[in-house]
Amino acid sequence: PPPPPPPPPPSVIGPVGGLTANLVIFSNYEGGSLTINVDVDLPYLVIGVSSYGTMNITIKGPYAANVQQVVWAGYGDAGTSSFHCFSDPTPPYALPVTQFSPSNLGIGFLYPPVTLANPNGETYIVCASTCDNFNYQGGCNTPDQLIDYFKQQVSLMTGTTPTLALYHTIYQCYMGTLDLSSSGNCPFNETVATVAAATTTTMPTTTTTTATTTTTTT
């Protein structure tokens, strides 16, 4: 396995001031370009994303200002020539691991150690593509490992334990826009917010994301 990266910074956002942070998680194996339309009013929102492949993440929508931070953690095709959802660039394969738009919202961690042990998952945060905690995930993490990791990251950032509003996962590339109001295909939600459960696992391909600045922390 790769060597563990240094620990994350102790604080990124700062104290919530009595509010409970809301956490939403998106994961897959392939990576891709994920535009998240924040069309649900979830205050003090932190978005966790995990993928094996490179991921471009764009935040938009009527409640986009609620988003305090986007935290990506995964493998990110680090140091390899396999980019899954994107054309392979010319060696030495300098495609950014993860791109964020707006760039000031994003922070990334390359395969950090897990915070919850599960023999069906991994010892590092790599990727996740199912809702299954009880069967071997073939080299990816179990959902409970991602949930625990991102909850701990949000706790470090805000000083409070967040509420998991939704968890959405697929295997294939994220391509296009995903509305929060139609997201959440794993039954791990801890809030009664108006976030509908989605049953589809195919993504629209009509929206192209634009991620202009790279933010990568190891």
Side-chain angles (χ1 to χ4, degrees), residues 84-170:
H84 299 271
C85 305
F86 304 98
S87 299
D88 288 357
T90 303
Y93 310 115
L95 189 70
V97 170
T98 302
Q99 293 183 323
F100 302 96
S101 180
S103 60
N104 64 314
L105 288 179
I107 185 170
F109 299 101
L110 285 174
Y111 40 83
V114 299
T115 56
L116 176 72
N118 187 323
N120 297 311
E122 286 296 320
T123 56
Y124 298 88
I125 298 297
V126 179
C127 55
S129 61
T130 77
C131 303
D132 185 1
N133 289 319
F134 304 104
N135 293 285
Y136 179 59
Q137 294 303 294
C140 278
N141 299 100
T142 51
D144 59 354
Q145 289 185 310
L146 285 195
I147 291 169
D148 191 80
Y149 174 79
F150 285 120
K151 277 192 166 186
Q152 291 206 27
Q153 291 303 306
V154 175
S155 294
L156 287 172
M157 294 172 182
T158 67
T160 67
T161 300
T163 296
L164 180 65
L166 66 86
Y167 186 108
H168 193 95
T169 191
I170 59 175

Side-chain angles (χ1 to χ4, degrees), residues 13-22 43-44 46 68 154-155 157-161:
I13 299 173
V16 178
L19 297 175
T20 299
N22 283 288
Y44 218 88
V46 179
Q68 305 298 309
V154 175
S155 294
M157 294 172 182
T158 67
T160 67
T161 300

Side-chain angles (χ1 to χ4, degrees), residues 11 28 37 72 77 82 85 116 126 131 161 172 190:
S11 178
N28 76 342
N37 178 32
W72 175 90
D77 295 316
S82 176
C85 305
L116 176 72
V126 179
C131 303
T161 300
Q172 66 268 36
E190 300 171 341

